């Protein structure tokens, strides 16, 4: 058995283990006039790879596809960025109103800054108290302003 057959067998076993994915593969293979039970594992693996290439098929949906190909997702993202760029140069963009809606299902939700972080629900005092509880002990300060070196 060569390396390709072993790799294909792993894919096929992964598909056969999940009933939902197995039913989707069986349905699509049956539409093409083939029988999953009669296929060798390497042929089933190749068939699954081919079925996953179509993002609108049952198999791709069972594996979590949203129905769009990679090319379509990239096109949506480019259109979104061009719409935002044009909006920024407009009067509405200067006044930060009427921002265009994103059409890409992969786009970040509005209000999230690219690379930004969500504001914390904890105050700075709560964060310091938590870090004091779990972190290493800080040296105590003495009344004259220096550090107390008696405890190590």
């Amino acid at each position: 058995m060569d390396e390709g057959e072993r790799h294909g067998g792993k894919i096929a076993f992964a598909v056969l283990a999940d009933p939902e994915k197995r039913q989707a593969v069986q349905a699509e293979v049956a539409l093409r006039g083939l029988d999953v039970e009669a296929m060798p594992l390497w042929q089933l693996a190749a068939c699954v790879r081919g079925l996953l290439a179509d993002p609108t098929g049952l198999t791709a949906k069972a594996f979590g596809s949203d129905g769009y190909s990679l090319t379509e997702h990239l096109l949506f993202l480019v259109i979104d960025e061009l719409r935002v760029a044009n909006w920024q140069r407009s009067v509405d963009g200067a006044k930060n109103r009427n921002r265009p809606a994103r059409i890409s299902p992969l786009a970040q939700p509005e209000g999230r800054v690219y690379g930004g972080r969500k504001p914390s629900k904890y105050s700075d005092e709560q964060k310091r108290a938590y870090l004091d509880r779990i972190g290493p002990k800080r040296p105590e300060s003495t009344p004259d302003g220096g550090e107390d070196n008696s405890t190590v």
Side-chain angles (χ1 to χ4, degrees), residues 3-90:
E3 192 65 32
E5 288 182 12
R6 277 186 280 182
H7 180 67
K10 289 178 185 177
I11 293 172
F13 280 128
V15 169
L16 297 175
D18 186 359
E20 181 184 349
K21 293 175 183 174
R22 180 185 176 96
Q23 288 174 351
V25 170
Q26 284 177 329
E28 285 205 65
V29 169
L31 288 174
R32 289 163 175 77
L34 301 171
D35 182 20
V36 171
E37 303 299 329
M39 285 184 179
L41 287 178
W42 65 268
Q43 189 177 9
L44 179 60
C47 185
V48 169
R49 277 192 229 122
L51 293 173
L52 288 174
D54 177 20
T56 59
L58 294 173
T59 304
K61 297 233 188 239
F63 277 83
S65 173
D66 59 359
Y68 298 109
S69 67
L70 176 63
T71 306
E72 290 169 326
H73 278 297
L74 292 173
L75 182 61
F76 290 154
L77 291 170
V78 167
I79 291 170
D80 283 342
E81 292 305 314
L82 288 173
R83 291 173 69 191
V84 169
N86 287 333
W87 169 79
Q88 288 174 341
R89 290 168 185 78
S90 70

